[in-house]
């Protein structure tokens, strides 16, 4: 009851003071964080000590140095009323949030009314940025692979309200806001991350009451490697005593590590150049360049290689040309590694050919061509296509034959005449043979008969005249003739009769007689044999 009366009396006093003495009032907003010490001012017009001051909150008197007494329920040891009328609060808590009313009487009979809005806020706290999937480097920088889908999460906590904002900085002084939200978590997604998305991502948390802002930044790197393998190249040095090896692997981030050979350290570069002495090289040797990258495991290292090869020029070793015309000699060399230096030379002394009106040098793809103008007998020499690299020197020897223009036509005419003569002779011989074909056949048959007779007489063996398919042979023995006195032998003839349905043929077999009877009775035996054959 006393409290109510006191409040009513205070309100009447304030109203009366404002009406009679021309009192004016102020209203301010004062933010504070838990644990802070705040000072609520009632009069800010100067350094004047009021006669009395009273502070109220929520309808209760919480501090006063006048006739009004503080409510026992509102007493707080953290509250202190200062001499100038200000109210000091130590170790502010969230419950202190609210409106504080002040009434102060000045020595000049003025009454000051003031209202202070105390806002106890907290945060932003626990501000963080999470990016997944990524790999964290030792310096806490995040790494992703080009083409991945990344999920961003911005988080913070504030009391009593906040706003989250995710920004991206890809270049100096170039900040872009990606998303914002009044909630405690902000989600954002980037699909198919590219090198252009590489930069610093910042989560900005703002307490909308205290206007306090807290930031958390994270650097994101986008790694990528070329889809193919490194490129290896060999270059012939100017003095041809060494070989320069180049290994390129452009388009990788971060810079790859390259190494030539099996030994030695890797070098952080996208173009590695080394020089090897000619004495350390050999035909068929294979040299390898190995590339390493953070996105590649050791077993998946990429590489390229070069196999060294000596030059081998190719072309036509013999060329024939008419005097007074032009000729082009061609030489091709494509197998050498490193690429060979190819030149044309002339004569056994291999004098270098100097381009001019007589000799024209040209290159068509892999072919090195030498054109000789207005050919003469002087040009009938050896020409050399000389290719040289660090592995050796090889030459293609080309001999140029120069023919006189008249001799060429004479040879052609003679060739045509000889061909016509041979054709005509063949035609005449064929015609003669065809017109006398019957005579030739008869002579040929007689010659064959005589040849068979001579062969039969020389053999002195058995003569069988058989023209029958029957297998049964009937033999009639003929007695031997007595030997002759001259020591020669004659022949005993046996006649075999072969049965046949149509004809009867005689087979005559001759058997040699002893040597002493053969020669004396030859004529007699021949006549008897003829008679027997005629009887049959």
């Amino acid at each position: 009851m006393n409290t109510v009366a006191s409040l009513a009396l205070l309100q009447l006093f304030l109203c009366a003071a404002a009406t009679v003495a021309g009192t004016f009032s102020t209203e301010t907003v004062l933010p504070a964080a838990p644990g802070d010490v705040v000072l609520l001012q009632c009069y800010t017009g100067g350094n004047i000590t009021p006669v009395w001051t009273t502070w109220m909150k929520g309808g209760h008197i919480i501090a006063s140095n006048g006739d009004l007494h503080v409510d026992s329920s509102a007493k707080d040891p953290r509250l202190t009323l200062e001499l100038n009328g200000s109210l000091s609060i130590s170790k502010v808590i969230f419950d202190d949030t609210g409106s504080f009313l002040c009434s102060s009487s000045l020595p000049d009979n003025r009454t000051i009314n003031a209202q202070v809005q105390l806002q106890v806020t907290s945060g932003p706290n626990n501000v963080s940025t999470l990016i997944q999937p990524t790999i964290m480097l030792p310096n806490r920088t995040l790494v992703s692979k080009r083409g991945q889908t990344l999920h961003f999460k911005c988080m913070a906590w504030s009391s009593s309200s906040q706003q989250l904002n995710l920004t991206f900085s890809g270049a100096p002084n170039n900040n872009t806001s990606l998303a914002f939200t009044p909630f405690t978590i902000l989600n954002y997604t980037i699909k198919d991350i590219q090198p252009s998305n590489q930069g610093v991502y910042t989560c900005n948390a703002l307490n909308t009451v205290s206007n306090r802002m807290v930031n958390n930044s994270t650097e994101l790197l986008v790694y990528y490697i070329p889809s193919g393998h490194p490129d290896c190249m060999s270059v012939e040095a100017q003095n041809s005593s060494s070989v320069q090896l180049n290994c390129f692997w452009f388009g990788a981030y971060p810079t790859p590590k390259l190494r030539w050979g099996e030994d030695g350290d890797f070098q952080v570069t996208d173009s590695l150049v080394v020089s090897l002495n000619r004495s350390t090289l050999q035909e068929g040797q294979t040299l390898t360049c190995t590339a390493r990258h953070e996105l590649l495991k050791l077993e998946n290292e990429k590489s390229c290689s070069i196999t060294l090869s000596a030059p081998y020029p190719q072309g036509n070793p013999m060329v024939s040309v008419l005097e007074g015309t032009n000729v082009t000699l061609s030489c091709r060399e494509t197998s050498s590694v490193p690429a060979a230096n190819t030149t044309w030379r002339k004569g056994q002394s291999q004098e270098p050919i100097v381009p001019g009106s007589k000799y024209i040098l040209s290159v068509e793809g892999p072919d090195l061509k030498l054109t000789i103008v207005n050919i003469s007998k002087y040009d009938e020499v050896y020409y050399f296509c000389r290719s040289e690299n660090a592995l050796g020197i090889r030459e293609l020897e080309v001999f140029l034959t120069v023919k006189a223009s008249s001799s060429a036509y004479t040879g052609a005419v003679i060739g045509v005449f000889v061909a016509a003569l041979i054709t005509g002779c063949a035609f005449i011989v064929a015609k003669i043979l065809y017109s006398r074909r019957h005579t030739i056949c008869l002579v040929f048959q007689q010659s064959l008969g005589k040849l068979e007779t001579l062969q039969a007489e020389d053999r002195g063996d058995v003569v069988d005249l058989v023209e029958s398919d029957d297998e049964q042979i009937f033999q009639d023995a003929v007695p031997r003739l007595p030997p002759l006195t001259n020591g020669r032998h004659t022949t005993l003839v046996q006649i075999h009769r072969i049965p046949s349905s149509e004809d009867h043929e005689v087979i005559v077999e001759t058997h040699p007689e002893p040597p002493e009877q053969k020669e004396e009775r030859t004529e007699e035996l021949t006549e008897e044999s003829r008679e027997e054959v005629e009887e049959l």
Side-chain angles (χ1 to χ4, degrees), residues 37 66 68 74 78 89 95 117 119 142-143 215 242 261 265 276 279 281 321 357 430 473 487 494 520 525 534:
V37 176
L68 301 178
R78 299 179 298 112
I89 306 176
D95 291 341
Q117 185 70 32
Q119 294 180 338
L142 300 182
V143 174
N215 302 326
S242 61
D265 298 330
L276 299 180
S279 60
L281 306 177
V321 65
S357 58
I473 301 175
Q494 293 182 352
E520 295 178 357
L525 178 59
E534 289 176 358

Side-chain angles (χ1 to χ4, degrees), residues 90 188 259 267 480 509:
S90 62
Y188 184 73
R259 180 181 71 183
Q267 300 185 30
R480 293 182 178 270
E509 295 184 0

Side-chain angles (χ1 to χ4, degrees), residues 87-229:
L87 181 64
S88 175
I89 306 176
S90 62
K91 296 181 180 180
V92 174
I93 61 177
F94 284 108
D95 291 341
D96 294 333
T97 301
S99 179
F100 292 80
L101 298 176
C102 172
S103 179
S104 182
S105 177
L106 301 180
D108 57 0
N109 295 326
R110 288 185 301 161
T111 301
I112 302 300
N113 295 324
Q115 182 177 1
V116 179
Q117 185 70 32
L118 179 62
Q119 294 180 338
V120 181
T121 62
S122 178
N125 298 321
N126 301 325
V127 181
S128 62
T129 305
L130 182 63
I131 306 176
Q132 292 179 335
T134 55
I135 300 173
M136 182 176 291
L137 300 179
N139 61 354
R140 304 191 66 81
T141 299
L142 300 182
V143 174
S144 67
K145 185 179 179 180
R146 181 174 60 184
Q148 287 183 320
T149 297
L150 297 187
H151 302 282
F152 296 78
K153 183 176 289 187
C154 175
M155 298 176 291
W157 181 87
S158 295
S159 178
S160 56
S161 65
Q162 72 175 5
Q163 178 175 316
L164 299 179
N165 185 19
L166 180 64
T167 61
F168 168 69
S169 177
N173 302 323
N174 182 17
N175 295 329
T176 303
S177 178
L178 302 178
F180 65 91
T181 181
F183 302 106
T184 58
I185 297 178
L186 184 152
N187 292 312
Y188 184 73
T189 300
I190 297 180
K191 296 182 178 180
D192 190 21
I193 197 80
Q194 294 297 319
S196 58
N197 302 122
Q198 178 174 280
V200 177
Y201 291 84
T202 303
C203 179
N204 302 292
L206 173 66
N207 190 318
T208 57
V209 176
S210 62
N211 289 327
R212 181 188 178 194
M213 179 178 289
V214 179
N215 302 326
N216 179 267
S217 298
T218 301
E219 184 180 8
L220 175 68
L221 301 178
V222 180
Y223 283 4
Y224 50 91
I225 58 176
S227 58
H229 292 266

Side-chain angles (χ1 to χ4, degrees), residues 492-510:
L492 178 63
V493 178
Q494 293 182 352
I495 300 174
H496 304 271
R497 190 180 302 275
I498 300 175
S500 175
S501 59
E502 297 179 358
D503 300 328
H504 298 278
E505 296 181 356
V506 178
I507 300 176
V508 180
E509 295 184 0
T510 60

